[in-house]
Amino acid sequence: MSFSGEVKEELMKHTPPARHCQLAELASILHFCGSHTAAEGSNNLQNEEKKSIFNGEKLLIQAENEAVIRKCFTLLKKTFNINTSVNEKRVGKSGKAGAGTGAKPRAYEIELTDPFQIKQVLQATKFMDGEGHLRDMKAPVSAILIKNSCCQRAFLRGAFLASGSMSDPGKSYHLEIVCTNLFQAEQIQSILLAFEVEARIVQRKKYQVVYMKDGTGISDFLNIVEAHVSLMNFENFRIVKEMRNSVNRRVNCETANIGKTVSASTRQAEDILLLQQKYGFENLPESLREMAEVRLAYPDAPLRELGEYLDPPVGKSGVNHRLRKLGELADKVRSQQGIKS
């Protein structure tokens, strides 16, 4: 199972104890996966025919991920005591699954046809008002349902279950929730911002995608939706990855420093040999002559160690100063004698 699948399995098993949170999560799933079919001619019915208004109606919740439908089944049972069944069907064009079997992708669905159950669910999730007027299920979910932070957590949990995914954290950091319109995306982005988590929105074909690529943001998201086991696993991946990156940076830095040291010591040795041949050590001041002899004697020694070989010993900055003076003098000799560097 993919890491994304593991997260969804954990979220599927987590049901909030409070009814208002259960409604917020159910509303989120309906928002992304639900569709409503009205009864034919219901708009022409009179008040005395209220009992038959919903005859012929259907509330369908459909998703490719079975965990979404199982969670919806649990929420309907706990919140409304509605017992229903989960149906499996084949949808779309034939795929490559089954090595040439022509198998079609699977989808799972829950279908409510009882008029009073439909009314009960839609009114509780604020997709229908008290007079039976329906709201667009793809429009932003009612603010009343998600006014509390606990309900916002539940809403995000349902959104990720219904339409979210994330990459394997061992390879890259990417979490996204695919929305059918900009209003959906902006509502999720706004809720995340209330938890101080920044997410961006990008258009992908006809969809609006809320996404985050920051490891800290994804970690915060998993904590918000209460996927605590997945959060610990994600953090383990982050720790290993950051340690690996830290080691690589240190190795690269040390390699670069070694390269600079070798290059500098080679240059210093060339300068000193030039001065020995073209200028003469006897013409150097005592401090520079001693420095030149010590550098030739210990070509691979670092500056601090070179300073300890001098009499009296000199610190790293003093050694660097003398070597720089030797370099400047060598450049002057090259210039006077027309020697190329």
Side-chain angles (χ1 to χ4, degrees):
M1 183 183 293
S2 66
F3 190 84
S4 184
E6 291 175 4
V7 175
K8 291 192 176 187
E9 277 296 312
E10 182 179 0
L11 295 181
M12 186 274 296
K13 296 173 183 177
H14 177 82
T15 303
R19 188 173 189 272
H20 50 84
C21 293
Q22 294 171 6
L23 288 174
E25 188 166 355
L26 180 60
S28 183
I29 294 174
L30 290 175
H31 183 48
F32 285 95
C33 301
S35 63
H36 172 264
T37 303
E40 292 185 7
S42 61
N43 293 333
N44 299 322
L45 297 177
Q46 302 299 318
N47 290 335
E48 61 270 15
E49 298 177 291
K50 287 287 185 181
K51 289 184 179 180
S52 62
I53 283 181
F54 299 97
N55 289 342
E57 276 192 309
K58 180 170 68 175
L59 180 61
L60 182 68
I61 304 98
Q62 187 179 77
E64 293 181 7
N65 191 323
E66 187 181 4
V68 182
I69 302 303
R70 281 189 285 156
K71 184 59 174 290
C72 189
F73 175 90
T74 301
L75 292 170
L76 287 171
K77 174 65 177 176
K78 286 184 173 291
T79 313
F80 302 101
N81 199 28
I82 293 177
N83 286 304
T84 184
S85 59
V86 175
N87 303 315
E88 180 182 342
K89 62 184 294 187
R90 300 287 180 177
V91 296
K93 298 179 180 179
S94 297
K96 297 180 181 180
T101 61
K104 295 181 180 179
R106 289 181 296 180
Y108 304 89
E109 64 179 28
I110 289 175
E111 184 177 277
L112 295 182
T113 56
D114 183 283
F116 298 103
Q117 288 181 350
I118 294 174
K119 179 179 180 181
Q120 187 181 19
V121 171
L122 292 179
Q123 285 187 339
T125 53
K126 306 302 180 185
F127 290 117
M128 178 184 289
D129 61 23
E131 297 179 358
H133 298 128
L134 285 164
R135 294 176 62 243
D136 182 1
M137 294 181 71
K138 301 304 178 185
V141 169
S142 172
I144 298 173
L145 277 176
I146 52 175
K147 63 181 179 179
N148 300 323
S149 62
C150 58
C151 296
Q152 292 172 353
R153 291 175 185 271
F155 176 82
L156 291 174
R157 185 162 51 244
F160 184 81
L161 258 175
S163 195
S165 64
M166 65 180 295
S167 62
D168 181 352
K171 298 177 181 178
S172 63
Y173 298 146
H174 182 87
L175 184 148
E176 68 178 36
I177 298 174
V178 180
C179 305
T180 56
N181 59 63
L182 185 59
F183 301 111
Q184 279 185 336
E186 288 177 340
Q187 184 173 45
I188 291 173
Q189 185 185 47
S190 176
I191 294 172
L192 286 171
L193 195 57
F195 287 103
E196 299 183 352
V197 175
E198 290 189 8
R200 296 187 178 184
I201 299 173
V202 65
Q203 184 170 353
R204 186 186 298 157
K205 295 183 179 179
K206 63 179 181 178
Y207 300 103
Q208 299 290 332
V209 181
V210 181
Y211 73 95
M212 55 187 77
K213 290 182 173 290
D214 175 59
T216 301
I218 295 174
S219 180
D220 289 341
F221 178 87
L222 293 174
N223 185 48
I224 290 166
V225 298
E226 300 176 281
H228 299 306
V229 174
S230 298
L231 172 59
M232 287 189 290
N233 292 336
F234 181 79
E235 286 299 323
N236 288 337
F237 277 110
R238 285 187 72 197
I239 291 169
V240 172
K241 198 170 186 178
E242 288 177 8
M243 284 182 62
R244 200 172 284 151
N245 290 339
S246 178
V247 169
N248 288 338
R249 283 194 298 269
R250 180 170 294 183
V251 169
N252 292 338
C253 183
E254 290 179 354
T255 301
N257 287 338
I258 291 172
K260 290 179 181 178
T261 301
V262 170
S263 178
S265 62
T266 301
R267 174 71 177 181
Q268 291 161 5
E270 290 174 354
D271 289 343
I272 291 169
L273 289 173
L274 176 70
L275 291 174
Q276 188 180 38
Q277 296 169 6
K278 303 294 183 179
Y279 189 80
F281 279 179
E282 67 277 6
N283 296 318
L284 292 173
E286 180 64 22
S287 60
L288 295 185
R289 181 188 61 77
E290 185 184 12
M291 185 72 259
E293 291 173 346
V294 168
R295 172 44 95 189
L296 290 180
Y298 304 98
D300 299 325
L303 299 185
R304 190 180 299 280
E305 185 179 331
L306 285 177
E308 295 174 355
Y309 294 131
L310 298 174
D311 186 21
V314 176
K316 181 178 177 180
S317 61
V319 172
N320 188 54
H321 174 74
R322 295 185 186 186
L323 288 172
R324 188 169 63 251
K325 286 290 185 182
L326 289 169
E328 291 172 356
L329 185 56
D331 288 340
K332 186 176 180 180
V333 170
R334 289 189 183 94
S335 176
Q336 291 174 345
Q337 300 189 16
I339 301 172
K340 292 183 179 180
S341 304

